[in-house]
Structures are given as structure tokens and as C-alpha cells.
Amino acid sequence: MLANDRPVAEAVLVRGKKVVPAGVDMYERTHAGFLPREEPAVATRRNDPDRRDRIIDAALQVIAEGGVAGTSHRRVAERADVPLGSMTYHFTNMDELLREAFTRFAERVSERFTARLSAVDRREQLASAIVDLVHEDLVAGPDDLVLTLELYTLAARKPAFRQITHDWMRRSRAVLERHVDSRTAHKLDALIEGLFIHVSLDATPHGRDVTRDAVLRFLSP
């Protein structure tokens, strides 16, 4: 008992330290020698609501630098500037993080694809829009080519990731089908993808005129 006969709650040991239990007032904290009560982990998460998003973006940066093979929880946590334990709190395993990261990447590219082709209101404009896609929009991000090929490689090795590429292609074809029939949309989608890769990797990439000619051949009756 303290000098004024007020009861004091017993200390709770947390990691070897005396911690004040819930409901213990400041008088008891002072006289019983308790340390300030530790806040639950959720409080930290509540003060950092964007942590999960940062981890996903950091994962894309790490993948772009070292590939999927060079991506680890520790490297992503360091890039996102979060505790290592946050990785397993937000993501069950590395595959879940990779799915989230590549899904975000594919959706971002799809948004550029859709924005460019949505501005087309006549079939005659379609060829010019596709040329702009290949030579501008699809190569806008410095890491786009690497991330695209890393996703394709991962999907080739692990069928579970093919849903991401399937959804990506489906969105692209749906936009193209606003201007051409389904069969032509499939061909154009494959052509756009191939042209993008060639423009990105060729030491002396072909010009816009070559791309336009290839597209017009597909669009010719």
C-alpha cells in the first residue's frame, strides 16, 4: 500500500520490463515505478495508413533493379523505410506481394493505354494513336520494359501469375474493340506488344513511320 493507502496494481512484465497495465492512473505510474504503457501495434499502423501502398511501390522499384530473383522482404522493407515485420503483417508471403505489385504495374500501363485510345473518335485516327502508344506511352516509365519482361517470365514459370497477364490483355483488347472487331483487336494487341519490345530493345530502333506502316497493314480491308 502507498502512503495514502491507495492500492497499486501489480506490474506486468513485457519483454523483461515493468509496464503499466490498462486503467492504471498517473499516481500509480509515479509511485509504483511503472514504465509508460506500451501502445498496441495498431496505433503505429493507424499513424501510417499508406504503409501498404509504399511497400507495393517499393517492391516494384526493387524488382526493376534486381529482378524477381533479387527481391526479398528485407530489401523491400529497406526501400519502403518500414520495419521488416510490416512485410509479413501486410502480405502472407512473397508471392502475395509480387501479385499485388505486378497487378498495380499492369493497371497503371492499362490506364495509359486506355487514355490514349479513348481519345480516338474516328477509325482514321487509330493508327496515329497506336504509334503514339508504342513510341511514347508504353515507354514512358524508365522501368516499364524490365517490369513487363519480369512479369512475363514469372507468369511463364508460375501459372498462378498468368491471371495478371490475362486481365491485362483483356483490358487492352476491350479498348481496341471500340474501334475494330474482336479478331482484329487480338492481332493489334499482339502487334503493339511486339513493336513496344522491339523499339525498347533494338540498338537502332525503327522509327514511327515503320510502326505506322505495320499498323495500317493490319487495318487495311
Side-chain angles (χ1 to χ4, degrees):
M1 300 291 284
L2 299 175
N4 66 351
D5 293 332
R6 290 186 62 179
V8 177
E10 294 183 0
V12 176
L13 289 178
V14 177
R15 294 193 291 274
K17 298 180 180 179
K18 292 169 65 179
V19 179
V20 60
V24 177
D25 62 22
M26 288 304 297
Y27 178 87
E28 293 173 307
R29 291 171 188 254
T30 302
H31 290 82
F34 289 142
L35 296 173
R37 181 168 179 265
E38 291 188 352
E39 294 297 327
V42 69
T44 301
R45 293 193 294 272
R46 188 178 297 121
N47 294 331
D48 190 7
D50 299 327
R51 177 173 294 183
R52 192 173 191 277
D53 280 341
R54 289 208 317 279
I55 292 172
I56 294 173
D57 284 338
L60 288 172
Q61 295 170 17
V62 172
I63 293 167
E65 291 175 358
V68 169
T71 301
S72 66
H73 282 113
R74 185 173 299 279
R75 289 192 64 194
V76 175
E78 290 174 352
R79 177 58 60 90
D81 192 23
V82 301
L84 184 59
S86 294
M87 303 298 296
T88 52
Y89 174 80
H90 289 289
F91 304 96
T92 305
N93 51 39
M94 180 56 71
D95 275 3
E96 182 182 359
L97 174 57
L98 291 175
R99 277 194 299 272
E100 292 280 353
F102 278 122
T103 296
R104 175 169 296 184
F105 166 69
E107 289 174 348
R108 285 174 176 171
V109 178
S110 289
E111 288 171 2
R112 282 183 247 153
F113 192 100
T114 300
R116 176 65 69 178
L117 294 186
S118 292
V120 174
D121 55 17
R122 298 193 309 276
R123 186 184 174 99
E124 294 76 22
Q125 298 174 327
L126 184 58
S128 295
I130 292 175
V131 171
D132 289 338
L133 265 175
V134 171
H135 291 269
E136 297 177 25
D137 302 323
L138 298 182
V139 294
D143 299 328
D144 286 351
L145 175 65
V146 173
L147 290 173
T148 298
L149 298 181
E150 285 288 334
L151 171 57
Y152 289 172
T153 301
L154 185 62
R157 289 175 174 163
K158 294 187 175 184
F161 286 87
R162 292 177 191 172
Q163 187 62 45
I164 301 174
T165 56
H166 171 77
D167 290 342
W168 188 356
M169 290 185 287
R170 177 181 51 78
R171 288 191 297 268
S172 298
R173 291 167 185 167
V175 176
L176 287 167
E177 285 174 10
R178 299 175 189 174
H179 310 286
V180 297
D181 60 76
S182 176
R183 184 181 179 87
T184 303
H186 275 68
K187 293 179 180 179
L188 275 176
D189 187 36
L191 175 66
I192 291 168
E193 189 170 4
L195 289 170
F196 151 66
I197 292 174
H198 278 256
V199 166
S200 300
L201 291 179
D202 199 328
T204 55
H206 66 260
R208 297 170 67 93
D209 57 330
V210 175
T211 299
R212 179 183 295 277
D213 181 64
V215 174
L216 289 174
R217 287 174 181 269
F218 269 78
L219 295 177
S220 298

